[in-house]
Amino acid sequence: MPETKAVPLSRAATLLPGSSRSLTHSLRYAAPALLGYVAVRLTGVAILLITASVTGKDGMHRLTGRWDSVWYQRIAEHGYGYGVHLPDGTFHSDLAFFPLLPALERGLSALIPPLGVAGAGLLVSWLASLAAAGGIFAVGARLYGRRAGVLLAVLWGVYPTAFVQSMAYTETLFTALAAWALYAVLTDRWITAGVLCVGAGLTRPVAAALIAAIGVTAIWRLFTAWRGGEPLRTHWRMVAGACLAPLGWLSYIAFVAVREGHPFAYFDVQADWNNRIDGGAALAAFVVEQFGHNVFAGLGLCAAFAFLFWVVWLCVRQRPRQPLPVIVYCVVVVVISLIGSGYFGSRPRLMMPAFPLLLPAAVALAGTRRRVVPAVVVGVAALASGVYGAFTLLGSGPP
């Protein structure tokens, strides 16, 4: 795989946000990534709105008023306590949804009343998507240089289910917190990483992957320091950051436990939504079922999973260029997405925060001698992603 020349770590650290350089200089450094990301996402939204107009549907409503976004808006307006009894006897409770997005929706709609809760959710998601693109760029540029960082951010914007990045969902908010938390770990800002992880833990349950990345990295570095004879007290910031990291996630689990009067109540709530950890049994059964309907569909799914595992392997092989926290985070997000019993069609969306999966492609494109190649690849991917997004959002199934 072609390699790109990475920006020296000291230089990258001074040019990216959080350094001693001005915010203006940092934004100028990240501008190609942010502008490229905005361009591909506007392409996706434009395709959606044009298709919706042609078919006589409301494209903007698809971004703010369907599926999970409705649950978040209801929590923002009324707090927790709503649920739906389904014909099969199960009960879907709003306690399955973490609180940070609805809290931001409520606060922003109170600050700017004309927005309303739905508009506030969309604004939070769009602003968070820019923050996520910036964080993804920061990680990519830190590891492989500016060009690879730009391509990494833009490729995330053309991910097959990137249309969710334009919806009032939690994916962009979580990815922004996770990407900047990983960057904080890479630059030894452990307290910052812990605080950002607290926010991520109040956003989505997959924050467990970020907690694992911070915890495993801290343990490994402390072990290495101990073996080298370093006094561990000099690493107190690392210990403090690692201890902070799980507090957001744990606090919500504890909130649901106290509210429902059972220590594992949150997991019971998720089980009622058919989101339980089964080790991949439901996924395997779904693949086998597809072979019964259409052998080519089954083979296609097997090929897709083979490709996914190959990409994960490429990421692992890029060690030490992909450092421990990045790899742990990426792998655990993928594992969590595959071992649950939930709706199969949502799994690509659940893996979307695992942006390091795109690093091998970003590095390969950044290393091409013909600069037109990345532009063509990104352009085709943006159109394909936009068409798929319009087809999904204007259809009946959830993303």
Side-chain angles (χ1 to χ4, degrees), residues 372-396:
V372 70
V373 173
V376 171
V377 170
V378 168
V380 171
L383 292 174
S385 176
V387 170
Y388 177 70
F391 172 79
T392 303
L393 285 171
L394 298 174
S396 58

Side-chain angles (χ1 to χ4, degrees), residues 305-353:
F305 286 119
F307 177 75
L308 171 64
F309 297 143
W310 177 66
V311 171
V312 171
W313 173 241
L314 287 180
C315 292
V316 174
R317 284 189 60 189
Q318 286 183 336
R319 283 275 293 159
R321 295 291 293 277
Q322 280 206 46
L324 185 62
V326 175
I327 289 178
V328 171
Y329 168 76
C330 180
V331 171
V332 176
V333 170
V334 172
V335 170
I336 290 174
S337 303
L338 296 180
I339 64 173
S341 61
Y343 174 59
F344 176 82
S346 294
R347 293 176 195 264
R349 172 176 65 85
L350 298 178
M351 279 187 275
M352 189 164 59

Side-chain angles (χ1 to χ4, degrees), residues 53-346:
S53 177
V54 170
T55 56
K57 297 180 180 179
D58 186 346
M60 289 304 297
H61 175 71
R62 298 307 197 271
L63 299 178
T64 61
R66 300 191 74 187
W67 305 310
D68 292 1
S69 59
V70 176
W71 287 86
Y72 286 116
Q73 290 165 26
R74 188 179 287 113
I75 295 169
E77 292 174 333
H78 307 293
Y80 286 101
Y82 178 81
V84 176
H85 288 279
L86 300 183
D88 62 3
T90 58
F91 179 70
H92 284 189
S93 169
D94 58 6
L95 290 171
F97 298 91
F98 278 55
L100 185 56
L101 176 60
L104 293 174
E105 289 177 334
R106 185 183 185 115
L108 190 57
S109 62
L111 185 65
I112 312 175
L115 275 178
V117 172
L122 199 59
L123 181 58
V124 168
S125 179
W126 287 0
L127 292 176
S129 71
L130 286 175
I136 291 169
F137 164 75
V139 172
R142 176 83 181 179
L143 300 180
Y144 289 100
R146 189 186 189 191
R147 192 165 183 233
V150 170
L151 284 164
L152 181 64
V154 175
L155 287 174
W156 189 69
V158 298
Y159 184 84
T161 58
F163 61 88
V164 178
Q165 297 170 21
S166 300
M167 298 177 67
Y169 265 44
T170 57
E171 272 73 10
T172 57
L173 180 59
F174 173 80
T175 305
L177 293 165
W180 283 111
L182 289 174
Y183 179 74
V185 171
L186 295 177
T187 54
D188 288 323
R189 296 177 173 94
W190 285 91
I191 302 297
T192 300
V195 171
L196 290 170
C197 192
V198 169
L202 292 170
T203 306
R204 291 186 64 81
V206 76
L210 185 60
I211 295 167
I214 293 174
V216 168
T217 303
I219 290 171
W220 175 249
R221 290 194 186 179
L222 289 171
F223 175 72
T224 303
W226 174 75
R227 288 192 64 184
E230 296 181 37
L232 296 184
R233 65 177 178 274
T234 61
H235 298 281
W236 68 269
R237 290 181 181 275
M238 184 186 301
V239 174
C243 290
L244 278 172
L247 295 184
W249 189 86
L250 288 175
S251 65
Y252 185 67
I253 302 301
F255 165 77
V256 177
V258 171
R259 185 183 179 99
E260 299 297 297
H262 187 276
F264 303 107
Y266 172 76
F267 303 99
D268 293 338
V269 168
Q270 287 287 2
D272 287 339
W273 279 81
N274 195 32
N275 291 324
R276 59 176 66 85
I277 301 299
D278 66 0
L283 180 59
F286 179 82
V287 173
V288 171
E289 181 183 353
Q290 299 314 300
F291 275 101
H293 295 312
N294 187 322
V295 66
F296 293 107
L299 290 173
L301 284 175
C302 289
F305 286 119
F307 177 75
L308 171 64
F309 297 143
W310 177 66
V311 171
V312 171
W313 173 241
L314 287 180
C315 292
V316 174
R317 284 189 60 189
Q318 286 183 336
R319 283 275 293 159
R321 295 291 293 277
Q322 280 206 46
L324 185 62
V326 175
I327 289 178
V328 171
Y329 168 76
C330 180
V331 171
V332 176
V333 170
V334 172
V335 170
I336 290 174
S337 303
L338 296 180
I339 64 173
S341 61
Y343 174 59
F344 176 82
S346 294

